[in-house]
Amino acid sequence: QVQLVESGGGLVQAGGSLRLSCAASGRTLSRYVMGWFRQAPGKEREFVAAITWSGYSTYYADSVKGRFTSSSDNAKNTVSLQMNTLKPEDTAVYYCAAGRGGSSRERYDYWGQGTQVTVSS
């Protein structure tokens, strides 16, 4: 069993930055790939980024590539998502997830409760 708790969401103006964190607990965390997803009102939950606990492998959705960076801290069992040059269309609830990796929601078994990110224009 894996527990995930996100933090760091908030309200920011367009062009600003936010850093999300996901604290993970549970056994054998290293076997999971950590993903970030987001869901805007009226839309489906979409993939944002994924990272292995080693930090050596990361990949991003095209919509955030070059603006968002994911990192991992094994000592603290925490993964982070640094979001720069935010746009109003980045407004969504952001979720941390643990699973087999990839961009499909179905490949992730554990989810956090989500944290709201709102970008004003």
Side-chain angles (χ1 to χ4, degrees), residues 11-19 67-68 82-88 90 117-120:
L11 173 64
V12 65
Q13 288 188 333
S17 299
L18 278 175
R19 185 177 181 87
R67 300 188 298 123
F68 291 10
Q82 177 66 41
M83 306 185 295
N84 299 327
T85 319
L86 283 161
K87 305 174 181 180
D90 294 318
V117 171
T118 303
V119 184
S120 63

Side-chain angles (χ1 to χ4, degrees), residues 12-96:
V12 65
Q13 288 188 333
S17 299
L18 278 175
R19 185 177 181 87
L20 305 183
S21 293
C22 174
S25 61
R27 299 175 63 182
T28 61
L29 289 174
S30 60
R31 68 189 297 181
Y32 296 102
V33 174
M34 302 302 294
W36 289 97
F37 288 76
R38 66 186 182 187
Q39 187 166 17
K43 294 188 177 181
E44 292 191 355
R45 193 170 298 187
E46 64 174 5
F47 171 76
V48 174
I51 185 169
T52 56
W53 278 106
S54 68
Y56 291 143
S57 182
T58 58
Y59 51 102
Y60 301 92
D62 288 342
S63 59
V64 306
K65 203 171 292 183
R67 300 188 298 123
F68 291 10
T69 303
S70 187
S71 60
S72 62
D73 186 333
N74 288 304
K76 296 181 179 179
N77 286 346
T78 300
V79 294
S80 298
L81 184 69
Q82 177 66 41
M83 306 185 295
N84 299 327
T85 319
L86 283 161
K87 305 174 181 180
E89 51 264 42
D90 294 318
T91 295
V93 177
Y94 283 71
Y95 297 90
C96 175

